[in-house]
Amino acid sequence: MREMGHFIGGKHVPGTSGRHADVWQPMTGEVVGRVALASAAEMRAAVENAKAAQPAWAATNPQRRARVLMKFLELVQRDYDALADLLAREHGKTVPDAKGDIQRGLEVIEFAVGIPHLLKGEFTDGAGPGIDVYSMRQPLGVVAGITPFNFPAMIPMWKFGPAIACGNAFILKPSERDPGVPLKLAELMLEAGLPPGILNVVNGDKEAVDAILDDPDIQAVGFVGSSSIAQYIYARGAATGKRIQGFGGAKNHMIIMPDADMDQAVDALIGAGYGSAGERCMAISVAVPVGEAAAEKLIEKLVPRVESLKIGPSTDVTADFGPLVTREALERVKSYVDIGVNEGAKLLVDGRGFKLQGYENGFYLGGCLFDHVTPDMRIYKEEIFGPVLSVVRAKDYKEALRLPTEHEYGNGVAIFTRDGDAARDFASKVNVGMVGINVPIPVPIAYHTFGGWKRSGFGDLNQHGPDGVRFYTKTKTVTSRWPSGVKDGAEFVIPTMN
Ligand code: NAD
């Protein structure tokens, strides 16, 4: 049993609240550890620590700050296999997928190494007589990130990398389901040369989150998780004047046009729908073939692929996906399959009875495939977050475009087609934040920005890329005039450029 506390002021500290949560190993269904759940007082102590450390870090020149991240990249590479193994054991995803989780995080750290370039302000020489105007981007102070279970390496790095490169001190409140990797990342940042107190990991649940939201010294909160909590974070954090970004759940559609290469589309769909057991905010959960002929062709090719998915323990590198994160998640996803059957959708592949020999207590579910799903059904409207794909048949392109556009979530969407005109029209009109054209999971690369629309994103700046820098800094604009440019006499009229 691993005991996990917090990482505050550069040290592992045990929890003092007396509250803990079990940490499970989904592939065997065993409890493998215990994580402390912080009280508001413990959170406050961490914030005090961060607040004391931050001014010296902000005063460290940007390039030296970037060098710490550069060293961190090297250390994560050194420990890659051990980190991926730990991640897979706590989360349930396969080891190769866990490596991808770490890699997508590192790509944002690589971006953050170049952040000094984006911190440069603007300068206008001679804005008026003897007047120069310049701007600078300054860190906010102490900022926080609250992250979900499904990317325990990538999303923490998306948050703390840019924030720390910009000169802030950071409080990370990772998911209590898989806290092992976030704690290790904080250790590696310290080893890379980060001063104690600049990256703190405070484990916990709602009590810790509320303490972050109400803390007067925390200036900004980046949240990723389910939509109802994202909305709550947005409202409660904004009430205390914080800058908030809250990324929420999703229902990502993939449109398959009649002219699409059906084999490519099916390959894309199977990976994007069932990879990581569907526990990705950019997973495809709705396939929309356009026209009856495309629908029939899709179903014919898809059914055998879903039936032959290889489900295995997280350590089996040949498995397509592993178990779900908890027994509760497994039961919730199964109950959605029951709901779909009761709503009248046609269950073509039923994974509810799946058992893995030797791992009978693991949280496994076989791939499930529904056909003839309609927009009024709960299995269409709600996020299931499991290996369950729904096919909604659209009679034409117009109807296919309307589905994701009118859905309450707006994270990702994809269109598969050879028709450039249709692809362009779709990308321009669809009411969704991230669009893939013949790309099923259009997670933008690190130097672009990531963010969904509608109930998938609350707040107005995206994650990583230039928006990450904007979110974790504030702009100060200085107007300067030297005595040689000063006219005699007082001015009572507002200065203008006339
Ligand atoms: P979750 O909302 O249950 O938890 C997210 C975080 O909020 C965790 O740190 C958790 O401790 C905290 N939390 C949970 N309940 C809380 C409460 N009542 N009050 C305050 N804080 C609370 O989400 P999850 O199950 O960990 O992650 C899965 C969800 O995250 C899915 O909905 C998925 O789509 C979403 N997600 C979104 C993105 C994105 O970028 N849009 C990325 C990854 C995951």
Side-chain angles (χ1 to χ4, degrees), residues 254-269 294 297-298 301 305 415-419 438:
M254 178 167 146
I255 314 299
I256 300 120
M257 295 292 284
D259 67 341
D261 180 318
M262 199 52 84
D263 290 318
Q264 273 183 17
V266 168
D267 277 342
L269 197 47
K297 211 153 86 182
L298 177 74
K301 287 180 183 282
R305 296 290 297 274
I415 185 168
F416 274 64
T417 182
R418 288 191 171 95
D419 179 345
N438 299 315

Side-chain angles (χ1 to χ4, degrees), residues 79 110 135 340 463:
D79 294 353
E110 287 166 357
S135 65
Q463 309 188 77

Side-chain angles (χ1 to χ4, degrees), residues 77-78 117 246 408 410 412 418:
Q77 295 291 350
R78 181 195 70 191
H117 177 65
E408 68 169 354
R418 288 191 171 95

Side-chain angles (χ1 to χ4, degrees), residues 146-150 155 173-177 204 206 209 223-226 229 247-250 281 383 385 411 450 456 463:
I146 301 166
T147 55
F149 81 85
N150 70 326
I155 297 179
K173 206 305 284 169
S175 170
E176 59 276 42
R177 309 217 188 105
K206 180 169 165 45
V209 170
F223 171 87
V224 181
S226 51
I229 313 279
F247 296 99
C281 69
E383 183 180 44
F385 223 54
N411 214 37
F450 178 109
S456 298
Q463 309 188 77

